[in-house]
Structure formats: structure tokens, C-alpha cells
Amino acid sequence: MQASATPPDELDALRAAALPAIAGADSAALEELRVGLMGKQGKLTALLKSLGAMDPEARKSAGAAINVLKAEITEALTARRAVLDAAALEAQLAAERIDVTQPPRPEPSGAIHPLSRTQDELTAIFGAMGFAIKDGPDIENDWNNFSALNIPGHHPARAMMDTFYLTGGEVLRTHTSPVQIRTMLEQPPPIRIIVPGRTFRSDHDATHSPMFHQCEGLVIGEGITLGHLKGCLQDFLSAFFQVPNLPVRLRSSYFPFTEPSMEVDIGWNKKTGEIGGGADWLEIGGSGMVHPNVLANCGIDPRQYQGFAFGVGLERITMLKHGIADLRLFYESDIRWLRHYGVSPLSPATLHEGF
Ligand code: PHE
């Protein structure tokens, strides 16, 4: 014999018990209620199962009534869960709140290394002049470091540079000039870049370190002249040393990759170390008009495009600016030295004072 329909009383009783219990439940109780009602052994589940044993007429009316209750209970469970979750999130946010306006604890602060500071300053100065900042790898191939720069295999400049050779035939780059080549191969003119970075030569004394830093500059365009080179160096060096109209002298020299080539000197007082005063000159880098062979090596037509390049020693200009006497101290990681010559990370290099 088939069972008769679920008595409506039973559904009402379940509704009357379940809904207020759900509305007042905490998170754990809510889960218990859910399982007790809708789980495998749940009361509502049992009622739904009982439908199978009913005759079709009874099943129809009972099924409708049970499903109405099921929908009500499901909605009540979902609503209560949402309320509890929101409250839990609020509580967590309140508990984990941090006061970002609190002053920092007086912890010993670090300092920016003077060489990093110089690079930041060059970035600010040349950035304001419209230069992009480029870099290249420490390990270079012979072509980028020498041949493409018009330094052929037998050239004495190769020996002059005291190169570190690696077993695979590569070199530790002896200057930042290979990034000239990389850049010209990579993008068409106009080009306006600086390249601050590490360089390597087999050399070690108070003024030479096997690892040191240079900053290359390269400008390629139509109608670029030596006047642009001089003006660019003048603006850069005056801004860097913060000496308006710093005396800058271009002294005839030779580099295979520039023609004409010039050493860059700045005026200073040898006795007092004062930059810009006195009658002495100090060399801080090399420069020149990019050699037509170098342009051609990079697929740039030297009849259409000209340019200038320069390279300055970053240790050299940093030592001059801050009166640092011995190059080796840059790399000794002596915390007292760094505290003295380093700069607060909270004083970023900017051009607030202008050129
Ligand atoms: N690369 C040269 C050096 O290391 C410097 C330089 C760069 C000279 C660019 C001219 C043009 O000595």
C-alpha cells in the first residue's frame, strides 16, 4: 500500500522550527542546521525521499508543498550566511587595521651609495634633456665591445684596455660603448640615450679598480654637430657639479670610434679641490663625433645621420663632487664610510634646483 501525503502540519512545524533557528544562528550553528535539514540524513531530504512512496495524486500536492518549504529554507540559509560572512569580514578588517599615519619607529635607516646617487642624478639630468636610459650586459662579444666600434683585431686599443677575456671568446665589457652598437642595431635614429653601468679592466690601484662604472652618452640624428656635443656636456656638467657655467674644455685626442675625438676636461683648483675655480684642468671622460664606420657597421647611413658620443667615469665625477680621495673605498662596504658619504633614501635626486 502506498503512503498518503505528508500532513501539512508536519511541514508547518518544520517551517516554524527551522526559520527562526536559521535567522538567529551563528556560523557553526548555521552549518549544523543546513546539514540537519538538507544533508543526506536531513529532515527535508527525508521528506523529499518519502515522495517516492506516494501515489501520484498525493505526490503532486505534497511535492509542491515540500518544494515551497525547501525554497524558503534555502533562501533563509543563504541570507543568514551572507550576513554572517559580511560581519566576519568587518571584524577582520577592524582587527587588522593599520594606522598609516603613524610616525615610523626610530630604526636606523640605510643610505644610498654615492655611486648609485650619481647614477640617479645623471638619470634626472639627462631625463630632463630628453634622453632615455639604456643598459647592456656585463659580458659582451668581441664585435660589440671592439670590432663594431672600429677597433680591429690588431689594434693597440685592445691591449690598452686591459681586457678580461672569458674562455668562450667573450669579454667583460671594457667600456659602456658596446651599448651604442646594441642601441643603433635595435632602433633607427633619432637616438638619444645614456648608459650608466659597470665596466671591467685588469687594473688595480688607488685610482683604478678592476670593476668600475661609466656613463655613455649617444645622440644620433640629422645635422648633429660638435656644438651640440659641447652644449650637452656643458649643461650636464654644470647641473651635476652645481656650478653655473662650469669651465668645460674639449681637448683633442684619439678614439677609434669617434672622429674627431676629444677628452673632456673641467676646470678646478688642484690645491683646494674646488670645482669650477682655479686654473687647473681635470679629465673626466672621452667624447667625439661618432665615426662614420661605426654608423655604417650598424646599418645607419653616415651621409644622412651624424651624432656624438661621450663616456665619463662615474667614480671619477663622484670622487670630485664629494671630495672622496681613494677609489677603493667605494667597494669596501665600510658602513662608517657609507654613513658619511651616502645619501638618505628619502631625498630623491631631482632637478628642483633646475639646471
Ligand atoms: N669608451 C671610451 C673609454 O672607455 C670613452 C668614450 C666614449 C670616448 C664615447 C668617446 C666616445 O675610454
Side-chain angles (χ1 to χ4, degrees), residues 161 174-177 180 201 214 216-217 255 257-258 262 285-288 309-311:
M161 286 206 181
T174 56
H175 49 179
T176 41
S177 302
Q180 288 189 32
R201 290 182 203 179
Q214 291 189 333
E216 196 82 7
F255 299 102
F257 34 91
T258 44
M262 289 139 298
S287 69
F310 58 85

Side-chain angles (χ1 to χ4, degrees), residues 297-352:
N297 285 341
C298 299
I300 294 176
D301 184 352
R303 286 163 303 184
Q304 187 183 356
Y305 293 106
Q306 300 75 38
F308 64 78
F310 58 85
V312 295
L314 293 188
E315 281 81 355
R316 170 54 72 88
I317 61 173
T318 306
M319 288 167 82
L320 285 171
K321 182 165 175 173
H322 302 291
I324 300 171
D326 191 330
L327 172 91
R328 289 168 290 201
L329 296 171
F330 277 113
Y331 317 113
E332 276 179 8
S333 303
D334 182 334
I335 201 75
R336 294 160 303 174
W337 183 88
L338 187 58
R339 286 230 174 86
H340 183 78
Y341 288 107
V343 194
S344 162
L346 298 177
S347 77
T350 57
L351 281 179
H352 283 158

Side-chain angles (χ1 to χ4, degrees), residues 21-149:
I22 291 172
D26 67 10
S27 186
L30 189 66
E31 180 58 10
E32 249 172 58
L33 282 165
R34 188 191 65 77
V35 173
L37 290 161
M38 324 263 283
K40 263 201 189 124
Q41 319 286 343
K43 284 187 189 142
L44 206 61
T45 313
L47 287 175
L48 285 164
K49 274 188 197 151
S50 72
L51 290 173
M54 292 178 191
D55 55 57
E57 268 311 300
R59 182 187 301 145
K60 212 171 162 190
S61 62
I66 295 171
N67 276 314
V68 167
L69 179 59
K70 186 187 172 190
E72 282 173 39
I73 287 180
T74 306
E75 199 193 310
L77 287 169
T78 312
R80 183 62 187 163
R81 176 54 65 199
V83 168
L84 290 173
D85 284 353
L89 183 61
E90 279 304 318
Q92 191 190 359
L93 287 175
E96 291 176 5
R97 163 180 261 121
I98 51 164
D99 181 357
V100 293
T101 66
Q102 243 179 20
R105 279 182 226 122
E107 281 166 354
S109 71
I112 302 290
H113 192 282
L115 275 178
S116 303
R117 176 66 178 193
T118 292
Q119 292 193 33
D120 292 346
E121 288 172 356
L122 295 193
T123 302
I125 292 169
F126 281 101
M129 291 202 269
F131 283 64
I133 317 298
K134 278 275 197 178
D135 64 10
D138 294 346
I139 296 175
E140 263 298 2
N141 58 47
D142 188 275
W143 164 259
N144 285 335
N145 197 80
F146 293 122
S147 306
L149 288 162

Side-chain angles (χ1 to χ4, degrees), residues 136-137 139-141 144 178-187:
I139 296 175
E140 263 298 2
N141 58 47
N144 285 335
V179 186
Q180 288 189 32
I181 304 302
R182 288 177 173 272
T183 307
M184 287 189 278
L185 288 174
E186 190 181 283
Q187 68 175 91

Side-chain angles (χ1 to χ4, degrees), residues 158-165 172-174 199-205 208-212:
R158 291 197 181 216
M160 247 166 58
M161 286 206 181
D162 297 308
T163 312
F164 286 114
Y165 286 94
L172 291 182
R173 66 176 182 187
T174 56
T199 47
F200 306 85
R201 290 182 203 179
S202 166
D203 220 350
H204 203 190
D205 59 35
H208 296 90
S209 148
M211 189 278 300
F212 59 107

